[in-house]
Amino acid sequence: MQSELSQIQAFFNTEYPLNQNGLNELFGLFKVEKVAKGETLLVANTTENYLRFLNSGVVREYYATPDKETNINFYAEPQFITDLSSFINNTSTNKNQECITEVELLAVEKNAFRDLLDKYECGKSFIEISFQRLLKQKELFEYNRITKTPDELYKELIIYRPNWLDNIPQYHIASYLNVTPETLSRIRKRIS
């Protein structure tokens, strides 16, 4: 289990320097889960019941209507992938998450995590910092979607998310950019 925890320990040391006793107890709560490619991790209109950390693999996050799926995010590096709003507020999520590759997760059940938050004050700062980052990320995403062309958004992926372009099927990238796969192909030809 120690090797599975190395990614999350490094993550906390750089992103959330918190009380070590609380962290050690939190690490002890995580259970390792292997999830197959194509499996669903989160379904719209359900409540997020686990704090989930992506150890390895690629997960896509998307909204779905009866006619269309629109990708809103991809997770391709060690990070939390929990819908925090649903998890903390006990509300239904609008999001879906699917494994694009085989995935290794670390997961903690909600009640166990809440008990830990009650025990350690630093856990509350983790939630506050996480929500601040989530809001900042959402605002940047919305701003970029409204103000930038698909060509500009694709150039940003080349600079800031090259691992997405290497690990995520192009039709998913097209959905994320809100263009057809054919349009994405033309964008790629123009840019290269």
Side-chain angles (χ1 to χ4, degrees):
M1 177 72 167
Q2 193 59 32
S3 65
E4 287 93 350
L5 291 176
S6 63
Q7 295 279 21
I8 196 168
Q9 288 170 332
F11 181 86
F12 269 102
N13 286 336
T14 57
E15 301 290 325
Y16 300 101
L18 302 176
N19 173 305
Q20 286 304 305
N21 292 331
L23 280 178
N24 289 336
E25 197 168 328
L26 175 62
F27 295 153
L29 295 174
F30 280 103
K31 304 285 188 259
V32 178
E33 294 180 20
K34 304 268 188 192
V35 186
K37 176 181 178 178
E39 292 293 314
T40 302
L41 299 174
L42 183 65
V43 178
N45 300 314
T46 64
T47 302
E48 178 76 83
N49 289 313
Y50 291 91
L51 181 65
R52 293 175 290 119
F53 184 86
L54 178 66
N55 234 10
S56 64
V58 181
V59 173
R60 78 176 179 116
E61 189 169 73
Y62 62 98
Y63 294 129
T65 65
D67 302 328
K68 182 180 176 183
E69 291 180 357
T70 303
N71 293 316
I72 55 171
N73 202 355
F74 298 100
Y75 301 100
E77 57 193 42
Q79 62 187 296
F80 283 97
I81 63 170
T82 300
D83 181 342
L84 282 177
S85 182
S86 173
F87 182 79
I88 297 301
N89 298 315
N90 245 6
T91 56
S92 292
T93 183
N94 294 317
K95 300 174 183 177
N96 298 278
Q97 291 179 344
E98 176 190 35
C99 300
I100 292 179
T101 65
E102 181 178 301
V103 165
E104 181 181 273
L105 296 174
L106 298 174
V108 175
E109 196 274 325
K110 185 188 303 190
N111 290 333
F113 182 72
R114 284 187 172 157
D115 291 344
L116 191 70
L117 285 184
D118 291 340
K119 186 173 179 180
Y120 294 101
E121 186 63 32
C122 64
K124 291 174 180 44
S125 68
F126 164 72
I127 294 298
E128 290 169 4
I129 292 168
S130 297
F131 265 114
Q132 288 170 3
R133 289 182 180 183
L134 184 67
L135 289 173
K136 184 177 179 182
Q137 191 177 25
K138 184 177 179 186
E139 184 176 305
L140 181 62
F141 174 77
E142 290 171 354
Y143 176 80
N144 284 342
R145 281 282 175 106
I146 292 170
T147 63
K148 295 188 177 178
T149 67
D151 288 56
E152 291 170 322
L153 292 172
Y154 188 78
K155 287 177 186 175
E156 285 188 357
L157 291 181
I158 292 170
I159 295 167
Y160 299 112
R161 301 273 191 237
N163 60 335
W164 285 17
L165 301 176
D166 294 336
N167 297 308
I168 298 167
Q170 292 301 302
Y171 67 94
H172 283 312
I173 297 291
S175 170
Y176 176 80
L177 296 173
N178 207 20
V179 297
T180 65
E182 295 77 19
T183 300
L184 176 58
S185 181
R186 288 191 291 274
I187 290 170
R188 293 174 65 203
K189 285 179 185 171
R190 280 196 301 269
I191 291 175
S192 57

